[in-house]
Amino acid sequence: MYSNVIPGMVGSIVAAAFVVFLFKTASTHSLKLIWFVAISAVMLIRIGDGLVWYLKLRHTEFDGQAATNRFVLGAVVTALLWSTYSVGFFDTMDEAQFAITLAVLCSVAGGSSTILAGHKQVSVLFVILLLAPVSLMAVFSGQNYHIYLGILGLLFCVAMSISALRTSSLVLETIKLRHENSQLVETMNLEIDQVDEVHQKLSNAYDKLNDANSSLEKEVERRTEEIQELSSLDPLTQLYNRSAFIKQLLKTVKKSTDRGHSIALLFIDLNGFKKINDSLGHKVGDAVLVEIANRLGAFANDYQAARWGGDEFLMLIPYADKTTALSVATALQTRIAQPLDAMSNQLNLTATIGIAMFPEHTSNETELIQLADFAMFEQKKLRVNEPRMFTHDLFQNLKYVEELRSGLQDAIAKKQLYLCYQPIVCCKTHQPRLFEALLRWNFNDGLVRPDIFIPLAEQSGLIREIGAWVLNRACIDASQWQHSPDASVTVNVSIIQLQDDDFINVLDKALQTSQLDPTRLHLEITESMFADDKDKVRETLDAIKSRDVQVSIDDFGTGYSSLSQLQTLSFDIVKIDRSFVQNMQQGGEAIIRATMFIANEFGSQTVAEGIETEDEAQKLSDMGVDFLQGFLFAKPMPNDELRVWVEHRNVTIQANSTD
Ligand code: C2E
Ligand code: CA
Ligand code: CA
């Protein structure tokens, strides 16, 4: 209502001026002027009220009821003033004046219905106050023209009232809707605010959760690392264990491949650790391992040293060439060799180190370890206190050994094995009294030496089968030696064979098949054999002796066992090792004399091996050795050559004796 007040009031003033100043009647003019001033004043007050609303109240929490009351009051006063005019001056109006006045009133009423639409009752009241009194007066005036206009006025009043009611309803509805809308918008805004707030809270919570999550993740990561660390460490030495080391090796290999660097891998094996463990106990052994691990650790950080198992360690040296690797390994050996204290035991320990290089020797990680291990193993055989760098020759050797190992499997079936015999002559009579059977293997059109393939056969257990073949063959050959019917055959027997329960059966079968007189059979065993299962060996030896088969102790003086073996097991022959004969000048003679003394004490005869010169033969004869064996007399030869050799020798001796 207030928003339309100014144009409405201005319109009213114009309309009022129109009716006052259009028809000037001298008698009423001053009254009309007073009326005009009055209505103008009311209009101005209402404009003022409107301006106050427009400038001050609008957009504020103003008192709606008071403003409405003021407005309604203004409207009612205005309507009454208009009514006063039309009713008051009715009698002075001619037909035209009345028609125009009525028209002005109708237009004011029409305008008001819009302006007052905000207030239903007032908008209707305004129309009625404006039109009804003057129209009724006209209807009852008795003048025809006035009556028509009066009826028209009344009709218009009714129509306008209805229209005002409707407009008002519409406007009120609109206002209500607008109000509701604005409330809705407000609620919506409020809700949006709340949603925003909730959203903010949610996002805060999300951030917090994220933080918590990431710290949880970090915690899990840390724990996992810890667990991994624990599971990848060797519990005793705190060095990396096998699997962790291989992982580390893979990483380093990858890095080095990308950058074109080489890596050295050291395989470190302690010497004589088993002895310490056996003699001083596991606790001391553990203390030794821990100390060695510490010494290794000082050379490499944790990621590069590992305990491979038992007394074996690995060390990885990234970015190393061969020279660096060898000098690190040498330094390591020196450090390990320094005296160590293990639970108050002063110990001296050495280590053998093998080295393999990536990628020169192999680009495969597990093979790298194998090759370093292999180099170490080879070096250990040499008993040299120097690190050993892997070479491809060594590898060829390894491959060759593998080839031999598998070739040996069917050596018997393929008839690749045969025996050679080497005569052993009597010092006094110069007659060959014994022939040692020495095994030969014809493999891939070449001869393989027995000291190469016999250990292989022993490792694979194949020695039982091969040994049985040798024993059988030797017995048959010897039983057919018409050239030397009284000479004996000596057969080398491995420890593995002696420990085999079936050995005595094999022996009996060979004797039975060949019908060889058991006294013509000698079995040669090596002294070192007694280091193992002594009781079993003694039992087998007793069984052998009970069959009248002779037993020789081979390579005497080179083994580890004590001489007391000679006492408990009576040997028929002690064979003095070739090395003492070859080194007679450098102390060998003393050992030979000692050996002969012991042999004589136990009633054994002696054979000196490896006689190559007349001088050696003479010396040993003079020292009282019973038999001689060596290239001076004959190299080992196949059975048919042996016959030729013996017959030829007999002829020579006969010729010499007739001279
Ligand atoms: P061993 O029993 O000590 O055999 C003697 C070795 O010395 C033989 O080598 C023989 O050829 C060699 N020899 C003999 N006289 C001389 C000499 O004057 N100078 C030099 N430099 N060497 C001489 P071989 O035949 O190569 O046999 C080596 C080893 O193989 C044997 O040593 C023996 O331990 C083993 N062996 C040979 N045949 C058999 C077998 O049938 N069974 C078992 N278990 N071992 C065997
Ligand atoms: Ca021998
Ligand atoms: Ca020997």
Side-chain angles (χ1 to χ4, degrees), residues 361-379:
H361 297 140
T362 175
S363 47
N364 178 287
E365 316 77 40
T366 37
E367 206 173 85
L368 192 67
I369 299 173
Q370 280 171 0
L371 298 187
D373 182 10
F374 180 70
M376 183 282 294
F377 186 73
E378 289 299 303
Q379 188 71 339

Side-chain angles (χ1 to χ4, degrees), residues 577-596:
D577 192 66
R578 196 177 77 217
S579 56
F580 303 119
V581 173
Q582 237 100 75
N583 293 315
M584 271 200 287
Q585 257 75 38
Q586 296 88 36
E589 197 180 316
I591 296 173
I592 294 170
R593 283 189 196 282
T595 307
M596 283 177 55

Side-chain angles (χ1 to χ4, degrees), residues 596-632:
M596 283 177 55
F597 176 77
I598 295 161
N600 287 335
E601 281 294 296
F602 296 117
S604 308
Q605 289 189 297
T606 48
V607 175
E609 294 182 301
I611 310 299
E612 292 182 357
T613 63
E614 290 282 1
D615 194 36
E616 288 164 353
Q618 193 57 54
K619 254 193 183 151
L620 289 158
S621 289
D622 292 347
M623 282 161 77
V625 172
D626 299 300
F627 301 98
L628 299 174
Q629 176 183 9
F631 292 172
L632 175 67

Side-chain angles (χ1 to χ4, degrees), residues 424-434 627 649-650 653:
I424 298 170
V425 299
C426 173
C427 275
K428 287 186 187 120
T429 64
H430 297 276
Q431 286 292 315
R433 297 307 310 145
L434 304 130
F627 301 98
R649 190 179 165 87
N650 287 342
I653 289 171

Side-chain angles (χ1 to χ4, degrees), residues 93-246:
M93 287 182 222
D94 59 12
E95 285 172 352
Q97 264 185 333
F98 179 64
I100 286 168
T101 303
L102 197 64
V104 168
L105 287 176
C106 281
S107 67
V108 170
S112 75
S113 75
T114 321
I115 294 169
L116 298 172
H119 200 296
K120 213 181 251 178
Q121 293 85 347
V122 173
S123 69
V124 176
L125 184 68
F126 193 88
V127 171
I128 292 171
L129 280 177
L130 217 61
L131 293 174
V134 75
S135 298
L136 283 171
M137 274 185 82
V139 169
F140 295 109
S141 67
Q143 298 166 0
N144 270 351
Y145 193 71
H146 276 76
I147 293 170
Y148 298 143
L149 283 175
I151 292 169
L152 261 177
L154 280 177
L155 285 175
F156 190 76
C157 177
V158 172
M160 273 316 292
S161 295
I162 294 168
S163 161
L165 268 178
R166 282 209 177 154
T167 312
S168 185
S169 299
L170 207 72
V171 169
L172 282 173
E173 190 66 20
T174 312
I175 288 171
K176 197 176 135 201
L177 271 178
R178 202 170 76 176
H179 184 65
E180 276 177 5
N181 264 356
S182 76
Q183 259 186 342
L184 210 67
V185 169
E186 223 167 80
T187 324
M188 229 164 72
N189 280 340
L190 199 77
E191 276 171 10
I192 285 173
D193 284 353
Q194 281 174 350
V195 167
D196 273 352
E197 202 180 323
V198 169
H199 186 79
Q200 189 57 43
K201 274 184 188 164
L202 267 178
S203 98
N204 284 349
Y206 181 77
D207 283 352
K208 272 187 200 165
L209 203 71
N210 246 357
D211 281 357
N213 248 355
S214 76
S215 62
L216 201 72
E217 257 168 43
K218 269 181 204 147
E219 180 65 13
V220 168
E221 235 168 62
R222 201 178 59 77
R223 291 273 172 89
T224 313
E225 261 169 31
E226 251 175 41
I227 290 169
Q228 259 178 359
E229 194 105 315
L230 278 178
S231 67
S232 58
L233 290 185
D234 171 56
L236 177 66
T237 60
Q238 298 299 309
L239 293 179
Y240 273 85
N241 62 20
R242 275 182 181 230
S243 59
F245 182 81
I246 287 181

